[in-house]
Amino acid sequence: ARQPERVTSVALPFTVTFENPANASSPVSRLRIVQQLDPAAVDVRSFRLGDIRLGDILVHIPSDRASFSGEFDLTEERGIILQVTAGLDINANVVTWVMTAIDPLTGLPATDPSLGLLFPNKDRTEGGQLAYTIKANPESVTGAALTASARVIYGDAAPIDTNTVTGTVDATAPATQLAVVQVGSATYSLSWTGADDAEGSGIKDYTVYLSLNGAPYVTWKSGLTETSATYQGVPGGTAEFIVLAMDNAGNREQGPMGVTLPT
């Protein structure tokens, strides 16, 4: 038997979607999005920015950044320079994204009604989206709630709050118990049971590792949903097995201490 590993180190993906209403009279030239993070629920210092999509334009933000400031030349696509400032205020636990359409002829925020970041979303293709990742608070326990919502501000208009999404933490990997019976000179019958924590996401599948004659372990079977298997080896050899489980949240059971297993 092995102790299940507490796992809250997965970078969880979040997205905020937004659009300029179909009945809007002009494009949005300045967009501000604000989100308050809850340090009791998430590891604020693990926040990382993701890419931004404006209609059919994908704006790539350099990886592993908690803040970013830069400009993107979209003169051919939109007739603008896109100015992006985004980042985390670690003291206030607030993330802010500001996107501004700059008129390349003036170097100032665009006022021409033909220029903008988001045009009225009449054909459902002009919406926008931004992404980020963040990890759960490392002290989180299974069943803890992760909630997220954002505030979107178009130009000087009144703020609009998004809906609130809620997820549930599965903080602990499952555990398995394996029984091996040698039923012939080189035949082994394996059976195992697995258990996730009571409020966990449940076991997704199992991986079976095999060591022949004391050699390093290799992956014999993976993605198994069954709880038994039969191994037919070569007479005169010895085989050892390890079975590890993964739950539906992606938490993987830890192998025995001191044993190296394939990734």
Side-chain angles (χ1 to χ4, degrees), residues 3-263:
Q3 291 298 316
E5 178 187 13
R6 291 198 67 233
V7 180
T8 52
S9 59
V10 176
L12 306 172
F14 286 84
T15 59
V16 180
T17 57
F18 43 87
E19 67 175 5
N20 192 8
N23 60 0
S25 59
S26 62
V28 173
S29 59
R30 187 172 187 271
L31 177 65
R32 186 167 177 256
I33 297 173
V34 181
Q35 182 167 354
Q36 177 75 54
L37 302 178
D38 179 5
V42 296
D43 178 4
V44 176
R45 294 183 182 275
S46 71
F47 172 86
R48 293 296 182 270
L49 293 164
D51 292 342
I52 299 170
R53 182 176 60 80
L54 299 170
D56 59 353
I57 297 172
L58 180 65
V59 179
H60 177 63
I61 304 299
S63 60
D64 201 29
R65 297 282 190 93
S67 62
F68 173 80
S69 181
E71 294 185 343
F72 299 87
D73 187 350
L74 302 181
T75 51
E76 291 188 5
E77 299 89 344
R78 291 290 176 89
I80 62 169
I81 303 295
L82 171 63
Q83 192 176 79
V84 177
T85 302
L88 167 67
D89 181 339
I90 195 66
N91 295 314
N93 301 314
V94 172
V95 186
T96 304
W97 292 261
V98 178
M99 289 167 272
T100 307
I102 302 297
D103 188 332
L105 298 179
T106 65
L108 299 173
T111 57
D112 186 329
S114 66
L115 303 177
L117 302 172
L118 286 175
F119 289 85
N121 198 15
K122 296 179 181 179
D123 59 2
R124 314 307 298 172
T125 63
E126 288 292 339
Q129 177 178 287
L130 58 83
Y132 68 90
T133 61
I134 197 166
K135 298 176 182 178
N137 187 315
E139 299 302 318
S140 293
V141 297
T142 296
L146 289 176
T147 60
S149 63
R151 175 161 289 184
V152 182
I153 305 162
Y154 298 119
D156 297 324
I160 301 173
D161 291 332
T162 70
N163 60 307
T164 299
V165 296
T166 302
T168 304
V169 173
D170 183 343
T172 305
T176 58
Q177 290 188 325
L178 170 65
V180 180
V181 177
Q182 188 170 355
V183 295
S185 61
T187 304
Y188 297 82
S189 176
L190 289 71
S191 61
W192 58 87
T193 58
D196 201 10
D197 41 342
E199 296 182 59
S201 55
I203 292 177
K204 178 185 178 184
D205 56 35
Y206 300 92
T207 301
V208 183
Y209 301 93
L210 166 66
S211 171
L212 287 176
N213 302 319
Y217 279 89
V218 297
T219 301
W220 178 44
K221 292 180 180 291
S222 62
L224 287 179
T225 55
E226 301 86 358
T227 56
S228 64
T230 299
Y231 175 75
Q232 179 67 57
V234 177
T238 59
E240 295 180 283
F241 303 90
I242 294 173
V243 179
L244 300 180
M246 182 173 72
D247 66 21
N248 287 292
N251 298 321
R252 293 183 180 273
E253 182 180 3
Q254 225 174 6
M257 186 173 296
V259 175
T260 300
L261 297 174
T263 302

